[in-house]
Amino acid sequence: MTEAEKQATIDKAVNWIIDTANSKEHGYDLKHPTGPDYKCSTLVFFGWHYAGAGTLKDKPTTQKKWMAGTGQLDGYLKKDKDFTNVTKKVNLNDCNTLKRGDILMHGHTHTAQYIGDCKLAEATKNYDGKQGDSSGKEISIKKYKRRSWSIVWRYDPKIDGKSSSSGSNSTSRSDESVSSRKKTQTTQQRTQNSSAKKAETSKPYESYKPEKIVRDNLDCGGADLTDLEKYYCAYSPVSGGEKQLQNVTMNVISTVYTWIGIVAVIVIVIGGVRYMVSAGNPQKIQSAQKTILYAVIGLIVTLAAFAITNFVIAALG
């Protein structure tokens, strides 16, 4: 491979990711992340897959193969001779030490694509529960921040004749410098385009879509889950694991509110009985009335709290 071919592959991958981030047709979906919506790891994977980089071009694109997400992508890159772990060679506090095309990982929990000019593209969260990105925040381009990045992968295939002579090295460095300036200008132009102009641009992802996308609905409440599926359900920020946790939380809250309501009704009944057997005693009548009043207030507060809780959880989910 030549230096020009390497840069062309990087540009193809990064440009696809930028176009996807700028399009409202593509949002975040952790359960079905193989297109048109993606999660953090598949957004990066498909960019390099469609660019034909290394062995990623031959990796499976079905949902079933992407349960482990970032961990799966990290495993692929470790076995790909065209990608190099450069974590120890960069300063993650200084974005200028990163190169356009670097893949950033936070352990095995999150992935982002560095696109140059101290910016990165990443898929983060499904804000509306629908396909696509109506908010413009589900897959977006952001200013680079240190955060908790712990792994950096770089596309670094062997360049033909790279070390054959000092002259070729000098030429390679010069080409890389020119290419770097061009990449920065390209990134700035792409991120500053208006939404109307973005809609008019060609959509390279259309020609790269797999012929068949298998979407396996994972039932996190099932009894026969593999260890990988249990991990997916337990730690996925949006989808099966969150849905299961949300259901458990709602069940617990519903049970608590139900018992509070039952206790309030019992107290009302007790207050009524005390009122009936007060035999005209003013103090007993007043005490019974207070018991009934406080129980009714408690029941109203419980019902209101239950309604508010349901509304908030539904809005956030």
Side-chain angles (χ1 to χ4, degrees):
M1 175 177 287
T2 65
E3 184 68 30
E5 290 173 336
K6 168 188 170 182
Q7 294 301 331
T9 301
I10 293 174
D11 287 340
K12 193 172 184 179
V14 173
N15 290 345
W16 182 90
I17 294 172
I18 291 174
D19 287 339
T20 302
N22 287 334
S23 171
K24 290 189 176 182
E25 295 179 12
H26 304 281
Y28 184 96
D29 192 335
L30 191 56
K31 198 170 184 180
H32 303 143
T34 53
D37 291 348
Y38 303 92
K39 60 182 179 180
C40 62
S41 55
T42 58
L43 172 69
V44 175
F45 164 75
F46 275 99
W48 292 96
H49 172 79
Y50 295 150
T55 60
L56 294 186
K57 63 180 179 296
D58 302 317
K59 296 301 181 183
T61 58
T62 60
Q63 160 60 18
K64 189 173 182 179
K65 295 294 184 181
W66 278 102
M67 284 239 198
T70 297
Q72 182 74 21
L73 180 58
D74 188 45
Y76 284 159
L77 296 177
K78 286 178 180 177
K79 298 177 182 179
D80 195 325
K81 60 182 178 60
D82 286 347
F83 285 87
T84 303
N85 188 321
V86 295
T87 308
K88 295 182 179 180
K89 297 180 180 180
V90 300
N91 179 3
L92 286 167
N93 292 312
D94 182 5
C95 61
N96 293 312
T97 64
L98 297 171
K99 290 185 178 181
R100 175 179 164 91
D102 284 353
I103 299 172
L104 306 174
M105 293 183 177
H106 171 206
H108 283 173
T109 61
H110 187 56
T111 307
Q113 178 66 62
Y114 185 75
I115 63 174
D117 195 29
C118 288
K119 292 183 175 66
L120 54 81
E122 61 180 344
T124 53
K125 180 181 179 181
N126 190 332
Y127 285 89
D128 56 11
K130 301 177 182 178
Q131 182 177 309
D133 187 4
S134 61
S135 67
K137 299 186 295 184
E138 296 184 13
I139 302 179
S140 60
I141 296 173
K142 302 176 181 177
K143 184 177 180 180
Y144 173 84
K145 292 184 180 180
R146 173 63 178 90
R147 295 190 336 211
S148 300
W149 304 120
S150 57
I151 303 173
V152 182
W153 286 100
R154 179 171 294 166
Y155 183 61
D156 190 25
K158 183 178 179 181
I159 304 301
D160 298 336
K162 186 173 183 179
S163 58
S164 59
S165 67
S166 59
S168 62
N169 285 336
S170 175
T171 301
S172 177
R173 288 193 295 270
S174 176
D175 291 343
E176 185 175 356
S177 176
V178 173
S179 177
S180 177
R181 289 195 298 270
K182 290 182 178 179
K183 287 184 294 183
T184 300
Q185 293 173 356
T186 301
T187 301
Q188 291 174 341
Q189 291 173 354
R190 285 180 174 273
T191 55
Q192 291 174 358
N193 284 339
S194 64
S195 58
K197 187 174 181 179
K198 292 169 188 172
E200 295 173 357
T201 58
S202 61
K203 300 181 178 62
Y205 48 81
E206 291 181 351
S207 59
Y208 298 133
K209 288 181 181 178
E211 294 182 2
K212 183 178 180 182
I213 297 176
V214 179
R215 292 181 172 178
D216 297 333
N217 293 321
L218 178 61
D219 179 13
C220 290
D224 299 320
L225 295 177
T226 65
D227 290 340
L228 184 59
E229 290 170 337
K230 290 177 181 178
Y231 173 88
Y232 179 80
C233 289
Y235 297 105
S236 293
V238 182
S239 81
E242 184 186 52
K243 198 167 291 183
Q244 184 184 28
L245 177 60
Q246 188 180 82
N247 290 338
V248 171
T249 303
M250 278 302 300
N251 288 338
V252 172
I253 292 175
S254 297
T255 301
V256 171
Y257 284 145
T258 299
W259 278 106
I260 293 176
I262 291 173
V263 170
V265 171
I266 292 174
V267 172
I268 291 173
V269 173
I270 293 174
V273 172
R274 290 177 60 189
Y275 183 88
M276 293 174 62
V277 300
S278 61
N281 188 315
Q283 292 182 343
K284 290 183 178 181
I285 292 175
Q286 186 177 12
S287 176
Q289 289 176 336
K290 287 184 178 180
T291 299
I292 296 173
L293 176 62
Y294 295 153
V296 170
I297 292 175
L299 184 60
I300 293 173
V301 171
T302 300
L303 292 174
F306 182 72
I308 292 172
T309 302
N310 273 333
F311 175 80
V312 171
I313 291 179
L316 294 177

